[in-house]
Amino acid sequence: MSKVKYYYDPDTLSYRKIEPKKSKKYRNIFLFVLGSALFGFLGLVILLNTKWVNTPKELSLEREVRNYELQFEILNKKMEQMEQVLANIEDRDNNIYRLYFEANPIPEEQRKAGFGGINRYKSLDGFNNSDIIINATKRLDIIQKQMVIQSKSLDEIAKLAEEKEKLLASIPAIQPVSNEDLTRMASGYGWRSDPFTKARKMHWGMDFTAPRGSPIYATGDGKVTRADNQSSGYGKHIRIDHGYGYITLYGHLSKYNVTVGQKVRRGDLIGFVGNTGRSEAPHLHYEVFKDGERINPINFYYGSLTAEEFENMLKFANQENQSLD
C-alpha cells in the first residue's frame, strides 16, 4: 500500500491530501516499464553470452568437448610420428631392401593412395566437429593401408632373403681340394697341350695335382646327379646339381663318398683324388657349368682363398702348359 502524503494549507489552517497529477503517474508507469525492459534485455544478453550463468550440465558438456579436442590434438601428433616412421621404413624398403634383392620398388601413389568409391565417412557428418573427426579417420585409414602394404613387402623381402641365402649357399664358392693336400695347380681353363696327342686342345676345367686318396669337397650345396665312370675320359667322376643353373663336375676319382640322389652341403667330403679315366697322373679335374655352358672355375673360389692365394692361382691358371687329361 502506497503512502498517502499531505500538505499544510494556511488558508484553511488544515492538512490537505496531495493528489498526484495524471501526467506524472503515467510518466512513472512508463519509466517502470522501460526500466523493466532494459533490465530484462541486459539479463538475456548476459544469459546468452556469459559462461558463468551456464547450467552444471552445460559446463560438464563443455569440459567434455574440450577434452575431446585435446585428445584429437594428441592423436594427430601420434599420427604424425607414425607417418614419419613409416616414411623412413618405406624409404629403406624401396632404396635398400628391395634394391638389394632386385625387387621392383613400390610406387608412392600405391603406398599412400586413398579410398575411392562410396562415401566411407558419411556416418560421421552432421556433428559440430565432423571435419576433425573425418580427417583423423581418413589419416588412420591411410596409415593402416600403408602398414598392410609394408607388411606384405617385408614378407616378400623375407622370402627373397631366404632364396638369396639358398642361392649364395648353392653357388660353387670354394676350392675342391684344400691347400694342405694340394701339390700344385697343374693346369687352368683354356687352350692347353694335350698330354697324349701333344696337340693344342681346349681344356674345359682346372686340374689340381694332389696325392692319390686326397679328400675332395663339394664346392656348394646341391644334389648328386651322377657318381659313375660312364662319361668318356673322366673316369670315376661326380656331378652335383646346385640349382640356379649351376652344375659342378669332379673327375678322375679313386673312389666315391656319396651316392646318386644324395644332398650335400658346401665343404662335404664327396670323394678322393685318383688317376682313373684319361689321366696322366693323380689329380682332380674340376669343371663348372652354368645353364649348360662350361665356364672358367677360376671365378668361383672367393669363399676359400685369400687375395694372395687367388693371385698365385690366377698366375698358374693362365699359363699355357700341358694339361693332365
Side-chain angles (χ1 to χ4, degrees):
M1 184 176 179
S2 60
K3 293 182 179 181
V4 178
K5 294 183 178 181
Y6 295 89
Y7 72 95
Y8 181 73
D9 186 355
D11 294 332
T12 62
L13 301 177
S14 64
Y15 288 96
R16 291 182 176 275
K17 186 178 179 181
I18 298 176
E19 296 291 342
K21 296 180 179 179
K22 287 185 179 183
S23 59
K24 188 175 181 181
K25 183 178 181 181
Y26 292 144
R27 186 190 62 183
N28 290 340
I29 293 173
F30 172 75
L31 291 175
F32 174 77
V33 172
L34 179 61
S36 299
L38 287 174
F39 279 112
F41 177 75
L42 289 174
L44 181 61
V45 171
I46 293 172
L47 182 64
L48 294 175
N49 293 281
T50 59
K51 294 183 179 180
W52 57 270
V53 295
N54 288 351
T55 64
K57 185 177 181 179
E58 289 172 331
L59 292 174
S60 175
L61 289 173
E62 287 181 357
R63 285 194 299 268
E64 191 173 344
V65 169
R66 287 196 298 271
N67 181 58
Y68 282 136
E69 290 174 349
L70 176 62
Q71 294 301 320
F72 270 107
E73 288 180 11
I74 296 172
L75 178 62
N76 280 323
K77 289 181 180 178
K78 289 182 178 180
M79 286 192 290
E80 287 176 7
Q81 293 173 350
M82 291 172 65
E83 287 166 345
Q84 290 173 1
V85 172
L86 268 173
N88 182 265
I89 294 174
E90 289 167 357
D91 181 66
R92 284 184 290 167
D93 185 43
N94 274 349
N95 299 312
I96 298 178
Y97 308 142
R98 301 185 71 82
L99 185 65
Y100 177 77
F101 292 107
E102 300 176 355
N104 292 327
I106 299 175
E108 188 74 8
E109 58 271 16
Q110 181 180 341
R111 287 185 182 271
K112 296 185 178 179
F115 299 89
I118 61 173
N119 186 358
R120 296 168 56 91
Y121 312 104
K122 187 175 182 180
S123 61
L124 301 177
D125 283 331
F127 299 99
N128 291 334
N129 296 305
S130 288
D131 291 342
I132 298 175
I133 299 171
I134 291 174
N135 289 334
T137 307
K138 282 182 180 179
R139 288 180 70 183
L140 283 173
D141 284 346
I142 293 174
I143 289 172
Q144 184 180 18
K145 182 179 179 181
Q146 287 179 262
M147 291 178 68
V148 170
I149 292 173
Q150 186 58 55
S151 177
K152 290 181 178 179
S153 177
L154 292 177
D155 287 342
E156 181 184 355
I157 293 298
K159 290 180 181 178
L160 290 172
E162 184 179 351
E163 190 67 20
K164 193 87 167 183
E165 187 177 359
K166 290 179 182 177
L167 169 63
L168 294 175
S170 299
I171 294 176
I174 64 171
Q175 196 171 277
V177 178
S178 68
N179 282 331
E180 289 78 9
D181 300 317
L182 188 65
T183 303
R184 66 190 177 94
M185 210 290 294
S187 182
Y189 177 94
W191 291 96
R192 301 290 183 267
S193 175
D194 185 276
F196 299 101
T197 66
K198 306 305 179 183
R200 197 163 180 265
K201 181 183 176 183
M202 184 64 185
H203 188 243
W204 294 106
M206 296 183 72
D207 292 341
F208 295 90
T209 302
R212 181 184 177 88
S214 297
I216 299 171
Y217 304 100
T219 56
D221 295 1
K223 184 179 180 180
V224 178
T225 56
R226 292 187 64 172
D228 57 55
N229 61 354
Q230 303 303 311
S231 189
S232 176
Y234 291 117
K236 290 182 178 180
H237 79 291
I238 293 171
R239 299 191 194 207
I240 298 176
D241 187 346
H242 302 277
Y244 308 99
Y246 289 98
I247 293 175
T248 50
L249 182 150
Y250 312 77
H252 310 304
L253 278 62
S254 60
K255 61 179 180 178
Y256 313 110
N257 194 52
V258 291
T259 57
V260 174
Q262 181 177 337
K263 291 183 178 181
V264 295
R265 304 290 297 273
R266 179 182 292 151
D268 284 353
L269 176 64
I270 59 173
F272 302 90
V273 172
N275 192 30
T276 59
R278 192 175 184 276
S279 172
E280 188 180 59
H283 75 286
L284 169 69
H285 176 80
Y286 176 63
E287 294 183 12
V288 176
F289 296 77
K290 179 68 170 74
D291 297 327
E293 301 289 333
R294 292 183 178 98
I295 57 177
N296 194 344
I298 195 71
N299 301 312
F300 294 89
Y301 302 127
Y302 57 84
S304 60
L305 299 180
T306 64
E308 184 178 355
E309 290 171 338
F310 181 78
E311 190 69 29
N312 290 332
M313 175 179 282
L314 190 62
K315 181 176 68 175
F316 286 112
N318 287 330
Q319 293 178 356
E320 288 200 23
N321 55 3
Q322 178 179 288
S323 65
L324 295 177
D325 46 37

